[in-house]
Each structure stands twice: as C-alpha cells, then as structure tokens.
Amino acid sequence: MIAQLNRSFNRLADHQDAGILLLRLTIGILLLFHGVAKIEHGVGWIVQMLQAAGLPGFIAYGVYIGEVVAPILIILGVFTRVSGLIAALTLVVATLMVGIGNFFTLTKVGAWALEVEALYFFGGLIITLVGSGRYSVVSNPDYR
C-alpha cells in the first residue's frame, strides 16, 4: 500500500523541467532584488571596501554582472550554465568581502549566519549543473 502511494505521488510530482524552471525563477528573481538595490543606491560602499583592501575600486562594478545580468539570463534560460556559475562566484566574493567573519556563527534562532549566501551559492551551482531545462526562452538543442 505504501509503495503504491509512493508510485502514485511520484507520477503526480514527476515534472523535472518545471522544477528546474522554479529553481531558476527563485534564484534569479531573489538575486535580482540585490542587483536592483545596487542600481538604486550604487556600489560606492563596495568601491570603498575594495580600495581599503588594496584592490582597485572598479572591480565593484562587476556586481552588476553577477546580480543583474546573470539573474536575468538565469530567469530567461539563456546562457544558463555560465550565468549560474557567475551567480555562484558572485556569492563567494560577497561572502569573502562582508561575511567571512560569520562563517562559524549561528544566529539567535540557531540558523547559520551565512545560510542565505549558501542558498544562493548552491542554487547557482545547481543551475550550472542542470542547465535551463526544457522551459527557456532559447531552445536548447543539446537538452536530453
């Protein structure tokens, strides 16, 4: 009986391409909010942090690629694997810049202080590994 229920549920829930689309939309849209904030408020504070660390300030403008361009491409399913990797690497850089001190920190409710960054990082990495799926703006001739 349990096996039959499991098979029935699996038939109902077996929509891998819809799952990939949902993942792409979730990671892309939520990461894009961060990019929109950078568009509205600028990246001056990032420039200052980079310069304080002895790095050239113009590197800060790369955040627009990682938090605006890549998420839009992820949402659309265009250059999805590359965009997923760019998003993941953007989170590595962001974590190294502002969150590395929280690596071994838990919040008051017992959550890892970097769990949001980890979700974006692994979401981008998963998108890199699975690609756009069937539902994308550009058809993928290599899709199996």
Side-chain angles (χ1 to χ4, degrees), residues 67-105:
E67 292 185 4
V68 177
V69 176
I72 289 171
L73 292 175
I74 288 170
I75 291 165
L76 297 175
V78 179
F79 300 114
T80 311
R81 292 179 191 269
V82 172
S83 299
L85 184 60
I86 289 170
L89 293 176
T90 298
L91 265 295
V92 169
V93 173
T95 302
L96 290 173
M97 286 182 60
V98 296
I100 198 68
N102 294 326
F103 196 81
F104 296 106
T105 304

Side-chain angles (χ1 to χ4, degrees), residues 9-116:
F9 181 77
N10 285 343
R11 276 194 300 276
L12 288 172
D14 187 15
H15 300 283
Q16 292 179 6
D17 290 308
I20 293 170
L21 175 63
L22 184 58
L23 173 68
R24 284 186 13 236
L25 291 175
T26 301
I27 296 297
I29 291 169
L30 293 177
L31 190 54
L32 186 58
F33 280 119
H34 294 269
V36 169
K38 305 293 188 311
I39 290 171
E40 290 177 347
H41 304 291
V43 294
W45 63 278
I46 300 173
V47 170
Q48 291 174 352
M49 288 179 64
L50 288 168
Q51 290 174 339
L55 296 169
F58 74 86
I59 295 173
Y61 293 94
V63 76
Y64 293 119
I65 294 170
E67 292 185 4
V68 177
V69 176
I72 289 171
L73 292 175
I74 288 170
I75 291 165
L76 297 175
V78 179
F79 300 114
T80 311
R81 292 179 191 269
V82 172
S83 299
L85 184 60
I86 289 170
L89 293 176
T90 298
L91 265 295
V92 169
V93 173
T95 302
L96 290 173
M97 286 182 60
V98 296
I100 198 68
N102 294 326
F103 196 81
F104 296 106
T105 304
L106 296 178
T107 65
K108 292 179 182 177
V109 295
W112 184 30
L114 296 176
E115 70 181 20
V116 171

Side-chain angles (χ1 to χ4, degrees), residues 113-130:
L114 296 176
E115 70 181 20
V116 171
E117 291 85 349
L119 283 170
Y120 284 126
F121 170 75
F122 286 110
L125 204 56
I126 292 166
I127 289 168
T128 300
L129 296 173
V130 300

